[in-house]
Amino acid sequence: MSTMFVARSLDEVRFWSRIMKEHSLFLKLGFRCEDTQLIQEANQFYSLFEDIERKAHTFDVGADPEQIRRFNAEVHTAVSHIWVFKRKVLGLVITCQMPGANNFPLLIDHTSREAYYFRNRLEELNAGKLEPLPDAIISENVFFLRIMADHAKFIGHLLDPSERKLEEQARSFSNDFDTLLFQARDLESMKPQSQTVPLLDQFLDVNRISVKALRDFKKTAKELIDACRIKSIIHPLLADHVYREAERFLAIIDMLDASLPGAKQQSGHAAGDPP
Ligand SMILES: [Fe+2]
Ligand SMILES: [Fe+2]
């Protein structure tokens, strides 16, 4: 049990601390030259999460659970601080106090939602209370479907307007994921009656198909950007970042699906285990 706690904790911290580190970079790149204070704060968050990421890789599954519990608490504090920073920047942008800055409010809000998710996961891990499987299936999908819908919107808006075909594809993904998100919210409002195995199984299957398609689209976009074959203002690291988040969502869908009673695939996770 404590090995599971350590493994889960390290997996979450390794994945999300890299994400938080990259958010600091993206936020910094969107600031104006005169925003020196904000640039400095972003740099500090970059170093902070770089250190956390490095530290997370020094532990292995045999680490002392108590030490990992303290590490999780330390990471929790850092994540709370970056969340506050992101919300502050969001406030500045939407009240027009940073004219000419280059970060969309939705992108800043999006990165703050990811921080909130990470913080919540650390709390659950340290409290040792994880959501029951049927609840986890719905809440993880509600969270990640919106994240995917946002990514499609960011890609569409950061492509050069002359990339008409790609922009059209991005818009179509945005519509798909908005629809899937509404479906997920419908299932959520019909809880607990909606939490039958056939409905949850179908829900995961339908979402998986669209996430795979979006993941492949992101992979193609990333390769085209890396090779400088398309016109855009998408940072190559942002393309890779959103690709990794889609891969993470797919892994979570597979893990949840494998935990459903009567699951076709076999996994080492018991029913009731959250992602
Ligand atoms: Fe992100
Ligand atoms: Fe994201």
Side-chain angles (χ1 to χ4, degrees):
M1 190 56 216
S2 43
T3 312
M4 187 62 91
F5 164 76
V6 171
R8 282 269 165 78
S9 299
L10 293 179
D11 177 62
E12 296 285 351
V13 174
R14 284 172 188 168
F15 180 81
W16 289 107
S17 59
R18 182 175 176 196
I19 293 292
M20 295 298 122
K21 180 185 77 176
E22 292 170 355
H23 288 169
S24 316
L25 174 71
F26 301 143
L27 287 175
K28 181 176 95 165
L29 294 175
F31 293 144
R32 302 161 307 169
C33 305
E34 64 262 43
D35 301 324
T36 50
Q37 181 64 37
L38 292 171
I39 290 170
Q40 197 191 325
E41 274 186 83
N43 283 337
Q44 283 164 354
F45 279 115
Y46 189 95
S47 313
L48 179 61
F49 283 100
E50 193 175 41
D51 286 347
I52 289 170
E53 189 189 2
R54 199 180 299 123
K55 193 170 170 189
H57 284 282
T58 63
F59 294 115
D60 61 32
V61 284
D64 172 19
E66 199 39 53
Q67 200 181 2
I68 298 301
R69 200 176 301 280
R70 280 198 301 272
F71 181 46
N72 283 349
E74 187 189 310
V75 179
H76 182 275
T77 304
V79 182
S80 302
H81 288 152
I82 200 172
W83 180 83
V84 171
F85 176 64
K86 288 165 173 174
R87 299 308 288 186
K88 178 178 79 176
V89 174
L90 176 64
L92 291 171
V93 174
I94 59 179
T95 53
C96 303
Q97 293 180 67
M98 293 178 75
N102 280 308
N103 277 316
F104 292 124
L106 188 67
L107 188 132
I108 305 167
D109 174 64
H110 174 103
T111 65
S112 86
R113 273 182 269 128
E114 290 179 351
Y116 196 85
Y117 171 92
F118 181 24
R119 194 177 68 157
N120 186 47
R121 180 47 39 91
L122 291 167
E123 281 171 15
E124 285 183 346
L125 283 162
N126 268 15
K129 58 171 183 57
L130 299 157
E131 266 186 317
L133 180 69
D135 289 348
I137 290 180
I138 295 180
S139 67
E140 290 289 324
N141 280 275
V142 166
F143 172 76
F144 274 106
L145 288 170
R146 184 166 176 210
I147 292 296
M148 296 299 120
D150 290 345
H151 288 168
K153 291 173 178 66
F154 302 147
I155 295 169
H157 285 80
L158 296 170
L159 281 166
D160 188 81
S162 70
E163 294 287 358
R164 295 165 200 266
K165 287 304 283 179
L166 280 173
E167 204 200 323
E168 210 171 271
Q169 275 180 275
R171 200 171 322 119
S172 151
F173 275 114
S174 164
N175 292 336
D176 280 356
F177 279 91
D178 283 349
T179 303
L180 292 173
L181 175 60
F182 272 114
Q183 284 192 169
R185 286 185 177 151
D186 291 338
L187 205 62
E188 188 173 46
S189 83
M190 293 182 209
K191 266 172 50 174
Q193 287 82 356
S194 61
Q195 289 167 314
T196 68
V197 171
L199 283 177
L200 293 176
D201 194 27
Q202 176 66 9
F203 174 60
L204 290 172
D205 289 351
V206 165
N207 292 344
R208 183 192 286 108
I209 292 169
S210 291
V211 182
K212 275 190 177 161
L214 178 62
R215 188 263 325 259
D216 294 343
F217 175 69
K218 287 170 171 175
K219 187 165 188 284
T220 306
K222 178 186 132 49
E223 287 163 1
L224 293 172
I225 291 164
D226 283 342
C228 201
R229 291 170 76 96
I230 53 172
K231 306 178 287 308
S232 83
I233 52 167
I234 301 172
H235 193 291
L237 190 60
L238 179 64
D240 186 59
H241 180 103
V242 296
Y243 167 74
R244 271 182 272 123
E245 289 177 356
E247 284 276 75
R248 182 87 181 168
F249 185 21
L250 274 179
I252 289 172
I253 288 177
D254 287 344
M255 204 186 295
L256 292 167
D257 203 11
S259 305
L260 269 178
K264 289 142 274 177
Q265 304 125 283
Q266 282 305 307
S267 92
H269 302 279
D273 271 3

PDB file of all heavy atoms in Angstrom, residues 16 19-20 22-23 26 86 110-111 114 147 151 238 241-242 245, ligand 1:
ATOM      1  N   TRP A  16       3.522  16.570 -13.424  1.00  0.00           N
ATOM      2  CA  TRP A  16       2.971  17.924 -13.280  1.00  0.00           C
ATOM      3  C   TRP A  16       4.006  18.987 -12.922  1.00  0.00           C
ATOM      4  O   TRP A  16       3.799  20.165 -13.219  1.00  0.00           O
ATOM      5  CB  TRP A  16       1.812  17.921 -12.288  1.00  0.00           C
ATOM      6  CG  TRP A  16       0.598  17.231 -12.827  1.00  0.00           C
ATOM      7  CD1 TRP A  16       0.113  16.002 -12.463  1.00  0.00           C
ATOM      8  CD2 TRP A  16      -0.298  17.711 -13.850  1.00  0.00           C
ATOM      9  NE1 TRP A  16      -1.010  15.696 -13.197  1.00  0.00           N
ATOM     10  CE2 TRP A  16      -1.294  16.721 -14.054  1.00  0.00           C
ATOM     11  CE3 TRP A  16      -0.341  18.883 -14.613  1.00  0.00           C
ATOM     12  CZ2 TRP A  16      -2.319  16.866 -14.990  1.00  0.00           C
ATOM     13  CZ3 TRP A  16      -1.363  19.031 -15.543  1.00  0.00           C
ATOM     14  CH2 TRP A  16      -2.341  18.035 -15.725  1.00  0.00           C
ATOM     15  N   ILE A  19       5.202  20.216 -16.127  1.00  0.00           N
ATOM     16  CA  ILE A  19       4.147  21.046 -16.711  1.00  0.00           C
ATOM     17  C   ILE A  19       4.153  22.452 -16.077  1.00  0.00           C
ATOM     18  O   ILE A  19       4.102  23.463 -16.783  1.00  0.00           O
ATOM     19  CB  ILE A  19       2.764  20.347 -16.525  1.00  0.00           C
ATOM     20  CG1 ILE A  19       2.671  19.045 -17.360  1.00  0.00           C
ATOM     21  CG2 ILE A  19       1.596  21.285 -16.819  1.00  0.00           C
ATOM     22  CD1 ILE A  19       2.648  19.215 -18.860  1.00  0.00           C
ATOM     23  N   MET A  20       4.241  22.514 -14.757  1.00  0.00           N
ATOM     24  CA  MET A  20       4.257  23.809 -14.050  1.00  0.00           C
ATOM     25  C   MET A  20       5.488  24.633 -14.454  1.00  0.00           C
ATOM     26  O   MET A  20       5.413  25.842 -14.620  1.00  0.00           O
ATOM     27  CB  MET A  20       4.246  23.619 -12.522  1.00  0.00           C
ATOM     28  CG  MET A  20       2.991  22.980 -11.954  1.00  0.00           C
ATOM     29  SD  MET A  20       1.480  23.924 -12.238  1.00  0.00           S
ATOM     30  CE  MET A  20       0.495  22.714 -13.117  1.00  0.00           C
ATOM     31  N   GLU A  22       7.040  24.492 -17.310  1.00  0.00           N
ATOM     32  CA  GLU A  22       6.813  25.005 -18.660  1.00  0.00           C
ATOM     33  C   GLU A  22       5.786  26.142 -18.678  1.00  0.00           C
ATOM     34  O   GLU A  22       5.917  27.093 -19.451  1.00  0.00           O
ATOM     35  CB  GLU A  22       6.406  23.857 -19.592  1.00  0.00           C
ATOM     36  CG  GLU A  22       7.567  22.896 -19.815  1.00  0.00           C
ATOM     37  CD  GLU A  22       7.199  21.590 -20.527  1.00  0.00           C
ATOM     38  OE1 GLU A  22       5.993  21.358 -20.791  1.00  0.00           O
ATOM     39  OE2 GLU A  22       8.118  20.809 -20.815  1.00  0.00           O
ATOM     40  N   HIS A  23       4.763  26.054 -17.818  1.00  0.00           N
ATOM     41  CA  HIS A  23       3.797  27.164 -17.728  1.00  0.00           C
ATOM     42  C   HIS A  23       4.524  28.464 -17.373  1.00  0.00           C
ATOM     43  O   HIS A  23       4.187  29.526 -17.897  1.00  0.00           O
ATOM     44  CB  HIS A  23       2.734  26.894 -16.659  1.00  0.00           C
ATOM     45  CG  HIS A  23       1.733  25.845 -17.020  1.00  0.00           C
ATOM     46  ND1 HIS A  23       0.848  25.325 -16.110  1.00  0.00           N
ATOM     47  CD2 HIS A  23       1.478  25.224 -18.207  1.00  0.00           C
ATOM     48  CE1 HIS A  23       0.084  24.413 -16.718  1.00  0.00           C
ATOM     49  NE2 HIS A  23       0.459  24.330 -17.989  1.00  0.00           N
ATOM     50  N   PHE A  26       5.987  29.770 -20.509  1.00  0.00           N
ATOM     51  CA  PHE A  26       4.987  30.308 -21.444  1.00  0.00           C
ATOM     52  C   PHE A  26       4.457  31.658 -20.957  1.00  0.00           C
ATOM     53  O   PHE A  26       4.259  32.580 -21.755  1.00  0.00           O
ATOM     54  CB  PHE A  26       3.820  29.331 -21.642  1.00  0.00           C
ATOM     55  CG  PHE A  26       4.238  27.979 -22.169  1.00  0.00           C
ATOM     56  CD1 PHE A  26       3.600  26.818 -21.733  1.00  0.00           C
ATOM     57  CD2 PHE A  26       5.270  27.854 -23.089  1.00  0.00           C
ATOM     58  CE1 PHE A  26       3.993  25.561 -22.202  1.00  0.00           C
ATOM     59  CE2 PHE A  26       5.671  26.605 -23.568  1.00  0.00           C
ATOM     60  CZ  PHE A  26       5.024  25.459 -23.123  1.00  0.00           C
ATOM     61  N   LYS A  86      -0.777  32.841 -11.189  1.00  0.00           N
ATOM     62  CA  LYS A  86      -1.540  32.752 -12.442  1.00  0.00           C
ATOM     63  C   LYS A  86      -2.843  33.546 -12.346  1.00  0.00           C
ATOM     64  O   LYS A  86      -3.231  34.230 -13.290  1.00  0.00           O
ATOM     65  CB  LYS A  86      -1.833  31.283 -12.770  1.00  0.00           C
ATOM     66  CG  LYS A  86      -0.595  30.515 -13.239  1.00  0.00           C
ATOM     67  CD  LYS A  86      -0.819  29.011 -13.200  1.00  0.00           C
ATOM     68  CE  LYS A  86       0.354  28.255 -13.844  1.00  0.00           C
ATOM     69  NZ  LYS A  86       0.217  26.796 -13.682  1.00  0.00           N
ATOM     70  N   HIS A 110      -6.598  28.403 -17.945  1.00  0.00           N
ATOM     71  CA  HIS A 110      -6.354  26.985 -18.206  1.00  0.00           C
ATOM     72  C   HIS A 110      -5.166  26.467 -17.370  1.00  0.00           C
ATOM     73  O   HIS A 110      -5.259  25.432 -16.714  1.00  0.00           O
ATOM     74  CB  HIS A 110      -6.082  26.846 -19.710  1.00  0.00           C
ATOM     75  CG  HIS A 110      -5.664  25.503 -20.184  1.00  0.00           C
ATOM     76  ND1 HIS A 110      -6.514  24.656 -20.838  1.00  0.00           N
ATOM     77  CD2 HIS A 110      -4.457  24.865 -20.133  1.00  0.00           C
ATOM     78  CE1 HIS A 110      -5.862  23.549 -21.157  1.00  0.00           C
ATOM     79  NE2 HIS A 110      -4.613  23.649 -20.749  1.00  0.00           N
ATOM     80  N   THR A 111      -4.066  27.221 -17.386  1.00  0.00           N
ATOM     81  CA  THR A 111      -2.881  26.769 -16.637  1.00  0.00           C
ATOM     82  C   THR A 111      -3.167  26.810 -15.131  1.00  0.00           C
ATOM     83  O   THR A 111      -2.641  25.996 -14.376  1.00  0.00           O
ATOM     84  CB  THR A 111      -1.633  27.623 -16.946  1.00  0.00           C
ATOM     85  OG1 THR A 111      -1.844  28.956 -16.499  1.00  0.00           O
ATOM     86  CG2 THR A 111      -1.285  27.627 -18.427  1.00  0.00           C
ATOM     87  N   GLU A 114      -5.025  23.658 -14.270  1.00  0.00           N
ATOM     88  CA  GLU A 114      -4.106  22.514 -14.178  1.00  0.00           C
ATOM     89  C   GLU A 114      -3.370  22.519 -12.835  1.00  0.00           C
ATOM     90  O   GLU A 114      -3.149  21.471 -12.225  1.00  0.00           O
ATOM     91  CB  GLU A 114      -3.146  22.496 -15.370  1.00  0.00           C
ATOM     92  CG  GLU A 114      -3.896  22.149 -16.663  1.00  0.00           C
ATOM     93  CD  GLU A 114      -3.045  22.134 -17.928  1.00  0.00           C
ATOM     94  OE1 GLU A 114      -1.871  22.555 -17.883  1.00  0.00           O
ATOM     95  OE2 GLU A 114      -3.573  21.721 -18.973  1.00  0.00           O
ATOM     96  N   ILE A 147      -9.902  20.632 -20.856  1.00  0.00           N
ATOM     97  CA  ILE A 147      -8.493  20.918 -21.151  1.00  0.00           C
ATOM     98  C   ILE A 147      -8.224  20.676 -22.652  1.00  0.00           C
ATOM     99  O   ILE A 147      -7.597  21.495 -23.331  1.00  0.00           O
ATOM    100  CB  ILE A 147      -7.572  20.030 -20.264  1.00  0.00           C
ATOM    101  CG1 ILE A 147      -7.664  20.438 -18.777  1.00  0.00           C
ATOM    102  CG2 ILE A 147      -6.123  20.029 -20.747  1.00  0.00           C
ATOM    103  CD1 ILE A 147      -7.187  21.837 -18.441  1.00  0.00           C
ATOM    104  N   HIS A 151      -7.137  23.313 -25.612  1.00  0.00           N
ATOM    105  CA  HIS A 151      -5.941  23.128 -26.447  1.00  0.00           C
ATOM    106  C   HIS A 151      -6.273  23.337 -27.918  1.00  0.00           C
ATOM    107  O   HIS A 151      -5.523  23.978 -28.648  1.00  0.00           O
ATOM    108  CB  HIS A 151      -5.357  21.716 -26.276  1.00  0.00           C
ATOM    109  CG  HIS A 151      -4.691  21.484 -24.957  1.00  0.00           C
ATOM    110  ND1 HIS A 151      -4.321  20.232 -24.523  1.00  0.00           N
ATOM    111  CD2 HIS A 151      -4.324  22.347 -23.966  1.00  0.00           C
ATOM    112  CE1 HIS A 151      -3.752  20.341 -23.334  1.00  0.00           C
ATOM    113  NE2 HIS A 151      -3.757  21.591 -22.964  1.00  0.00           N
ATOM    114  N   LEU A 238       5.369  24.346 -26.553  1.00  0.00           N
ATOM    115  CA  LEU A 238       3.933  24.343 -26.248  1.00  0.00           C
ATOM    116  C   LEU A 238       3.245  23.206 -27.008  1.00  0.00           C
ATOM    117  O   LEU A 238       2.360  22.523 -26.480  1.00  0.00           O
ATOM    118  CB  LEU A 238       3.286  25.701 -26.599  1.00  0.00           C
ATOM    119  CG  LEU A 238       1.782  25.813 -26.338  1.00  0.00           C
ATOM    120  CD1 LEU A 238       1.457  25.677 -24.850  1.00  0.00           C
ATOM    121  CD2 LEU A 238       1.225  27.152 -26.847  1.00  0.00           C
ATOM    122  N   HIS A 241       4.047  20.126 -25.162  1.00  0.00           N
ATOM    123  CA  HIS A 241       3.361  20.188 -23.864  1.00  0.00           C
ATOM    124  C   HIS A 241       1.902  19.701 -23.985  1.00  0.00           C
ATOM    125  O   HIS A 241       1.461  18.845 -23.219  1.00  0.00           O
ATOM    126  CB  HIS A 241       3.429  21.654 -23.403  1.00  0.00           C
ATOM    127  CG  HIS A 241       2.802  21.984 -22.100  1.00  0.00           C
ATOM    128  ND1 HIS A 241       3.530  22.187 -20.952  1.00  0.00           N
ATOM    129  CD2 HIS A 241       1.512  22.200 -21.761  1.00  0.00           C
ATOM    130  CE1 HIS A 241       2.712  22.495 -19.961  1.00  0.00           C
ATOM    131  NE2 HIS A 241       1.469  22.510 -20.428  1.00  0.00           N
ATOM    132  N   VAL A 242       1.181  20.226 -24.961  1.00  0.00           N
ATOM    133  CA  VAL A 242      -0.227  19.828 -25.111  1.00  0.00           C
ATOM    134  C   VAL A 242      -0.342  18.386 -25.611  1.00  0.00           C
ATOM    135  O   VAL A 242      -1.292  17.681 -25.285  1.00  0.00           O
ATOM    136  CB  VAL A 242      -1.038  20.799 -26.008  1.00  0.00           C
ATOM    137  CG1 VAL A 242      -1.105  22.182 -25.369  1.00  0.00           C
ATOM    138  CG2 VAL A 242      -0.500  20.885 -27.430  1.00  0.00           C
ATOM    139  N   GLU A 245       0.002  16.244 -22.541  1.00  0.00           N
ATOM    140  CA  GLU A 245      -1.219  16.261 -21.722  1.00  0.00           C
ATOM    141  C   GLU A 245      -2.297  15.351 -22.319  1.00  0.00           C
ATOM    142  O   GLU A 245      -3.061  14.716 -21.582  1.00  0.00           O
ATOM    143  CB  GLU A 245      -1.709  17.699 -21.512  1.00  0.00           C
ATOM    144  CG  GLU A 245      -0.776  18.461 -20.562  1.00  0.00           C
ATOM    145  CD  GLU A 245      -1.117  19.920 -20.315  1.00  0.00           C
ATOM    146  OE1 GLU A 245      -2.069  20.446 -20.948  1.00  0.00           O
ATOM    147  OE2 GLU A 245      -0.427  20.557 -19.505  1.00  0.00           O
TER     148      GLU A 245
HETATM  149 FE    FE B   1      -0.421  22.702 -19.348  1.00  0.00          FE
END
